Amino acid sequence: MESFFEQPLRFWTSDASITSVVCGEAWPPSVATIGLAPGVRAWRPKGANPTKVEFEPVGELWELDGSRKTAVAMHGEWMAVADASTKGLVSLWDTVSWTRRHTFEAGAPVTCLAITGSHVAAGTSEGTVAAWALSSGSWGQCLPREGQELRVEPAGRPVRTLCLGSAAGAVPPGADPAALLLGHSAGRSRIFVWRLSDGQLVTSLGVVPNADNAAELAIGANVQHAFMDGRMLTLIAWAPGGNPSITVMDVVQRQAQDMPTDNRLSGRGRPLAADFRGYRMLALGCDDGALAIFGQHGWLRFHGAAAVGAVRVLPKRMQVASGGADGFVRLWGAEGALLAEFDVGFQVTSLCGGDVHLVAGGARGEVQILVLASTEQAKAQAPLPDDVQRAHTVQPATGGVAQYARHFDARACRPPLQPALSVQGPVSEHAEAFQEFAGREPAPVSAEELLANAGDAGGGSSSSGGSSSSGFDGKAALEGAKSNATPEQEADAAKRKQMMGEGRAKRKQMMGEDRGVARTGGAVHLSSSTAAHGRKCDNATCMSREGVGGAVFKRCGACKSVWYCSVHCQRADYRDRHAKECKRLAGEWAARQTVSAEEAAVRKAQAAEEAEEAAREEAAREEAATSAVAGAAGAAGAAAGAAGAAAGAGGAEAAEAAAEAEAETKDRAAEEEGEAQTQESGRAAGAHAAEAAAQAAAEQLAASSAAGPAAASQASLPPPPPSESEPSAGAGGGGGDRASQVAATGHGCAPAAAAAGLAAGAGVALAGPLFPDAADLYDID
């Protein structure tokens, strides 16, 4: 291990402690730092040759100067920087080009930050959280939804713990698997988990405090560090007077357990630093100089006679680096052997790194890059001598552990602080100015505070399988705790309760308390402008609308009268309100169904009667139409009979003419013997014509009396004109008399012949008899 710079870089122009340093994992890395000064500084590698690397400052970040930076996080090529301004600005940067891609607003000073490749999330000093999706050209806010506020902590408490993780196989098809947002509420000792793909609350985990467990829960509520790997959450908690504790939980399966520590944390101080890189290694650095490791290998060492304010797990090397107030960075093997140490010359407040490098930040703003031995060199590297190893297994004497001397610079703040508070120097010498600059450290969560919040929330049952007390009265327990308190403690508790009450009243007035969390009875009233998005979840404290986020609401299976966005909201509303009215609503719904069935039966009967009446009316209309057709047919038959009689008279007249022709022929036979043959032919033709005319007259008379309506209907049709393909007899070259001409043209002929001509002229192909018998047309017995 050796330093890269001969002299450390400087974070600020004056002494200002670095609170966080981040860097890329590949060599050469980009480096960014924030600290107790109103700015952020970064350096990027210059040149393409990795063996001759130079670093230059990133001037683009200087535009962020003026507001104190509270958090910085880096993931891949993304870096997010959050500030303490009233808007709570979160700047998103591309670390390749060092251009600002977007700026989000959290709505209040940001206190914590988390980032993945797809999302960035922020917690604020007002107890709220917000999350955004990272998508080039389209930056969408996931939580809270438009016009809403998502509160995690009670009034007066900032959000200190925020993580992004993955639900793995617990998300709907098509949803982003890396989309869980976790917020820890210290004031409630509860964890809330949201699914960012649709903004739904997945679960809340916690144990309802009571008089027996409140003191123990208060220690676990003071979370100092949190890490999320997929859906596995690791919490490190500590409170003054207690030992650090480690809890591991599966936030999707709702399972949790305390990690066995084998007395490694007994008597330990505050865990100032922690790092976790997967299940194999968790490292804790404490203010008493202890370095405790958990995971595949577990051990306890002492960094030295100095507080440990920085640790870094190097998973590929299976090593741990620790930095302390003694100015040393030490490298430890997987089983606890001290492999190397380096005196950087300043108190190390922050560490980050990759496979072959570490970046250390200092208490006066120093920045140093340490180059590590390669993996092959590290394997061949021998541990330090045994006496040095043994020295780090012995706990330093009480009171002999060096602590950090931190510095700050509040002179360049915008807007500027009061002149008396706009100072620079050690934190210990300017406590009031430092509190104005950095904000007051929230008091540790106490048992009284947990009981007060539990009482205000109306009690309830455990949602994670923990202990609970049926019918527990939190307010009564709080009064019992007060009876043993000193006057100073009572005054302090009363002041805290008053502040919480004022904040709660303000929230109720503005938007209903704790909306989206479904933990209290405060109703949420949505603006009417959001009604177009669909029905609101019937849980009074939920903000969800069915048309936002793709969630499909489901209704209560008993009463069928209320709708919920999730099982969580259904259970919470049943506990708080719906249980009192569900039975009544179910009865009303059943009554409505009975009435609806009766109305349906009545409507069905009415419809049947109307159909029957319509059928009768239709039958009457058909009968009237049939009678009218029959009358018309009779009249047409009479007309056809008259026509037949006229045809018979015409036939008789033709016969008389034929007889006269025959007599005339006989008289002329004697006189014109030379025309005998012609006269003979004329007589034969006349006889034939007479016979045909007489037969046609007889057939016409019979047809007119038997054809009935069918013949009458055809008789009303006019005779067709002569066809061009069939010329009349008068146009031919042969002779023929009047009778033959009448038979050929069809004038005055039988109706059947006329109808056949009309059909042929219209191009209709006829099949079978042209007019069936009447018995075939009508059912006549």
Side-chain angles (χ1 to χ4, degrees):
M1 188 190 312
E2 59 183 15
S3 62
F4 185 84
F5 303 113
E6 294 183 1
Q7 295 294 328
L9 303 175
R10 300 291 300 182
F11 156 66
W12 201 246
T13 57
S14 61
D15 290 349
S17 297
I18 290 177
T19 56
S20 181
V21 57
V22 293
C23 70
E25 295 188 358
W27 178 265
S30 294
V31 179
T33 62
I34 62 170
L36 301 181
V40 55
R41 292 293 179 265
W43 296 265
R44 57 188 165 199
K46 180 180 179 182
N49 189 347
T51 61
K52 296 182 179 180
V53 179
E54 296 182 359
F55 288 85
E56 62 180 2
V58 179
E60 290 83 350
L61 290 173
W62 296 349
E63 65 183 72
L64 301 181
D65 285 359
S67 58
R68 180 175 64 89
K69 303 303 177 287
T70 57
V72 61
M74 185 179 290
H75 183 92
E77 297 177 355
W78 292 117
M79 185 184 76
V81 182
D83 67 19
S85 66
T86 55
K87 292 183 178 180
L89 300 180
V90 179
S91 302
L92 184 67
W93 292 79
D94 180 346
T95 59
V96 176
S97 60
W98 284 104
T99 56
R100 179 156 51 170
R101 302 299 300 276
H102 201 73
T103 298
F104 307 103
E105 290 189 12
V110 177
T111 53
C112 55
L113 194 64
I115 188 172
T116 64
S118 58
H119 293 86
V120 61
T124 73
S125 61
E126 297 297 325
T128 60
V129 298
W132 304 270
L134 306 183
S135 176
S136 180
S138 177
W139 313 98
Q141 180 166 321
C142 302
L143 286 173
R145 297 174 187 174
E146 185 176 357
Q148 302 175 1
E149 181 185 61
L150 194 63
R151 181 168 296 280
V152 173
E153 288 283 11
R157 277 209 168 269
V159 178
R160 295 295 185 186
T161 304
L162 194 69
C163 296
L164 289 169
S166 168
V171 298
D176 182 2
L180 285 186
L181 171 65
L182 179 145
H184 175 260
S185 173
R188 296 187 180 89
S189 187
R190 185 164 289 275
I191 296 168
F192 301 101
V193 183
W194 291 271
R195 187 172 55 223
L196 294 179
S197 58
D198 56 9
Q200 291 297 309
L201 182 68
V202 176
T203 187
S204 66
L205 306 170
V207 177
V208 177
N210 56 43
D212 297 328
N213 64 13
E216 181 181 357
L217 291 178
I219 297 176
N222 290 281
V223 173
Q224 306 293 310
H225 309 279
F227 304 95
M228 201 163 184
D229 182 24
R231 65 189 193 187
M232 302 303 297
L233 174 69
T234 302
L235 299 175
I236 297 98
W238 173 84
N243 294 325
S245 64
I246 304 175
T247 303
V248 180
M249 63 180 65
D250 185 327
V251 298
V252 174
Q253 297 297 328
R254 300 170 60 87
Q255 299 174 349
Q257 66 178 11
D258 292 333
M259 180 179 290
T261 60
D262 299 331
N263 296 322
R264 272 168 279 172
L265 297 181
S266 298
R268 299 278 71 82
R270 179 177 183 174
L272 299 178
D275 194 28
F276 179 61
R277 291 289 183 271
Y279 69 94
R280 293 188 295 180
M281 193 170 290
L282 170 67
L284 269 66
C286 302
D287 63 0
D288 61 355
L291 175 65
I293 305 299
F294 303 90
Q296 184 176 359
H297 300 282
W299 41 268
L300 175 66
R301 297 292 185 269
F302 293 91
H303 176 86
V308 182
V311 294
R312 180 71 176 187
V313 173
L314 305 174
K316 292 184 179 180
R317 302 171 65 99
M318 287 301 292
Q319 296 174 353
V320 178
S322 62
D326 58 355
F328 276 85
V329 173
R330 292 185 168 90
L331 193 62
W332 309 81
E335 297 182 358
L338 181 59
L339 303 179
E341 58 183 7
F342 188 85
D343 185 359
V344 294
F346 54 82
Q347 292 185 326
V348 181
T349 59
S350 182
L351 276 177
C352 71
D355 294 338
V356 296
H357 64 278
L358 289 170
V359 181
R364 290 178 176 268
E366 306 94 337
V367 179
Q368 181 64 271
I369 297 179
L370 302 176
V371 181
L372 306 179
S374 65
T375 305
E376 292 74 14
Q377 293 172 339
K379 291 179 180 179
Q381 185 177 4
L384 296 182
D386 291 344
D387 57 340
V388 178
Q389 301 286 347
R390 287 192 297 269
H392 290 282
T393 60
V394 179
Q395 183 172 356
T398 304
V401 179
Q403 299 298 322
Y404 285 95
R406 301 183 185 272
H407 294 71
F408 76 105
D409 188 346
R411 295 174 297 178
C413 289
R414 291 198 309 263
L417 303 179
Q418 300 177 12
L421 302 178
S422 183
V423 298
Q424 181 275 329
V427 172
S428 59
E429 297 179 7
H430 304 279
E432 183 179 357
F434 178 72
Q435 288 183 355
E436 183 68 20
F437 170 72
R440 294 182 179 274
E441 183 74 15
V445 177
S446 63
E448 291 81 3
E449 182 179 352
L450 290 181
L451 292 174
N453 291 332
D456 291 337
S461 61
S462 170
S463 61
S464 62
S467 62
S468 62
S469 178
S470 176
F472 167 70
D473 186 349
K475 293 184 176 179
L478 180 60
E479 293 298 328
K482 285 182 178 179
S483 62
N484 297 324
T486 64
E488 293 79 11
Q489 291 174 333
E490 290 180 355
D492 185 60
K495 184 177 180 180
R496 272 201 312 273
K497 184 176 180 181
Q498 180 182 359
M499 293 176 61
M500 288 188 292
E502 292 174 354
R504 190 174 297 110
K506 182 178 180 181
R507 288 200 309 275
K508 285 183 177 180
Q509 179 182 0
M510 296 298 293
M511 39 64 75
E513 76 178 46
D514 303 329
R515 58 166 144 190
V517 174
R519 283 291 140 222
T520 72
V524 173
H525 303 286
L526 296 182
S527 170
S528 60
S529 62
T530 66
H533 296 301
R535 64 165 62 92
K536 177 188 176 295
C537 177
D538 281 312
N539 180 8
T541 59
C542 182
M543 295 294 296
S544 296
R545 285 247 188 224
E546 189 170 18
V548 179
V552 178
F553 283 20
K554 295 183 179 180
R555 64 179 177 178
C556 174
C559 68
K560 309 292 193 302
S561 303
V562 292
W563 296 79
Y564 299 105
C565 65
S566 63
V567 174
H568 169 79
C569 278
Q570 180 189 20
R571 292 175 178 173
D573 190 53
Y574 189 84
R575 177 200 65 205
D576 296 336
R577 177 188 63 87
H578 186 55
K580 301 175 183 178
E581 61 180 14
C582 186
K583 185 175 181 180
R584 175 181 59 81
L585 293 175
E588 294 176 357
W589 184 83
R592 288 196 300 271
Q593 301 311 304
T594 302
V595 172
S596 300
E598 293 175 354
E599 292 178 351
V602 171
R603 288 194 296 269
K604 184 176 181 180
Q606 292 176 348
E609 292 178 358
E610 293 175 356
E612 184 177 354
E613 180 65 23
R616 287 196 296 268
E617 293 178 356
E618 181 65 21
R621 285 194 297 269
E622 291 180 356
E623 184 177 357
T626 302
S627 300
V629 170
E653 183 180 355
E656 184 180 353
E660 292 178 356
E662 183 179 1
E664 184 178 355
T665 304
K666 289 180 179 180
D667 291 339
R668 292 176 60 186
E671 299 175 358
E672 299 179 0
E673 294 179 359
E675 299 179 357
Q677 186 65 35
T678 304
Q679 292 175 356
E680 184 67 22
S681 299
R683 283 196 299 272
H688 179 74
E691 184 180 357
Q695 184 179 358
E699 291 177 356
Q700 174 63 37
L701 183 62
S704 62
S705 61
S713 64
Q714 293 295 331
S716 63
L717 296 174
S723 173
E724 294 181 358
S725 60
E726 298 179 2
S728 62
D737 52 13
R738 178 175 178 272
S740 62
Q741 293 176 6
V742 170
T745 59
H747 287 271
C749 69
L758 179 64
V764 178
L766 301 177
L770 185 63
F771 295 109
D773 294 338
D776 294 330
L777 290 174
Y778 305 98
D779 294 329
I780 300 175
D781 294 332

